[in-house]
Amino acid sequence: VPKEHGDVRDLTRSPGAHDKHPVFSPDGTTIAFVTDRSGEEQIWLCDHRGETAPRQLTNGLTTMLYQPDWSPDARWIAFGDKDGVLRVCDVATGTLTMVADEARGQLQDHRWSPCSGHLAFSLSGDNQLRQIAIWSLADKTLRVVSRPLANDSSPAWDARGERLFFLGLRGFQPRLAGEYEWDYQIDRAFGIY
């Protein structure tokens, strides 16, 4: 849909398919989206003007996919699936690399660093609390960077990629709830009860 004047364009021309999760490339010329037009959900790319036919980027995936996330240099797309697998796809070749496999849900809070060299997201640890992890594109390594006895999520890089911000739940305070029971509550200083 144009910002002001003009017609609404059907870019995918796929009345028999379920197209979803469209996202513009950083330069605004290409749209990545999820569609089941090939039988299973895959990532496809299309021209933002609809002048060329959409092309299939991924092959062989067999589960529901979540919104793609372009790297700032537009060379990579990260996406998760319903089984908790986070992958990165090379836009030029369609080659897939598995980044992480979450045993307790999905990985949908992934964010690229401004240099496109790192992917940050939250991943549950052995204690079932989420921690912030960073995956490096150069050496394909995964590092957990937040402490295990917290519940951290929603990472966001600063504009220069020097700092990583995230939501953290760290104010657990023990309290005696009754004669036989110990409960934990969230510190009231956070404004959550």
Side-chain angles (χ1 to χ4, degrees), residues 72-146:
D73 65 6
R75 295 179 53 207
W76 309 94
I77 294 177
F79 63 95
D81 69 23
K82 78 164 187 69
D83 292 334
V85 177
L86 178 62
R87 292 180 177 89
V88 168
C89 183
D90 183 327
V91 174
T93 65
T95 303
L96 292 172
T97 302
M98 190 175 91
V99 172
D101 189 353
E102 171 58 61
R104 297 176 188 92
Q106 291 83 36
L107 297 173
Q108 297 186 51
D109 64 351
H110 44 85
R111 298 294 175 264
W112 285 101
S113 63
C115 69
S116 301
H118 306 281
L119 192 62
F121 55 94
S122 63
L123 186 67
S124 65
D126 293 337
N127 59 7
Q128 300 185 19
L129 296 175
R130 295 187 82 78
Q131 298 170 276
I132 301 299
I134 298 177
W135 180 77
S136 173
L137 183 62
D139 59 9
K140 310 292 189 278
T141 58
L142 181 65
R143 295 172 296 143
V144 174
V145 296
S146 64

Side-chain angles (χ1 to χ4, degrees), residues 127-131 147-153 167-176 182-193:
N127 59 7
Q128 300 185 19
L129 296 175
R130 295 187 82 78
Q131 298 170 276
R147 63 186 190 202
L149 294 178
N151 198 16
D152 302 328
S153 63
L167 298 178
L169 184 57
R170 297 165 178 225
F172 291 100
Q173 304 295 328
R175 69 180 172 106
L176 189 58
W182 279 91
D183 273 341
Y184 288 85
Q185 70 181 13
I186 298 171
D187 189 339
R188 292 173 189 255
F190 289 106
I192 302 171
Y193 304 96

Side-chain angles (χ1 to χ4, degrees), residues 113-115 118 134 156-165:
S113 63
C115 69
H118 306 281
I134 298 177
W157 299 88
D158 75 339
R160 291 171 42 172
E162 295 174 352
R163 298 195 187 279
L164 184 65
F165 300 92

Side-chain angles (χ1 to χ4, degrees), residues 17-78:
H18 185 201
D19 301 335
K20 60 183 181 178
H21 305 309
V23 61
F24 276 99
S25 62
D27 66 3
T29 62
T30 305
I31 298 172
F33 64 101
V34 175
T35 182
D36 63 1
R37 68 169 59 192
S38 64
E40 293 288 346
E41 289 192 354
Q42 304 295 327
I43 305 288
W44 285 58
L45 302 176
C46 69
D47 167 25
H48 80 289
R49 295 183 185 274
E51 295 171 351
T52 60
R55 82 173 167 97
Q56 187 171 345
L57 181 62
T58 62
N59 287 291
L61 301 173
T62 59
T63 189
M64 185 172 70
L65 305 179
Y66 296 116
Q67 182 154 347
D69 182 22
W70 288 89
S71 63
D73 65 6
R75 295 179 53 207
W76 309 94
I77 294 177

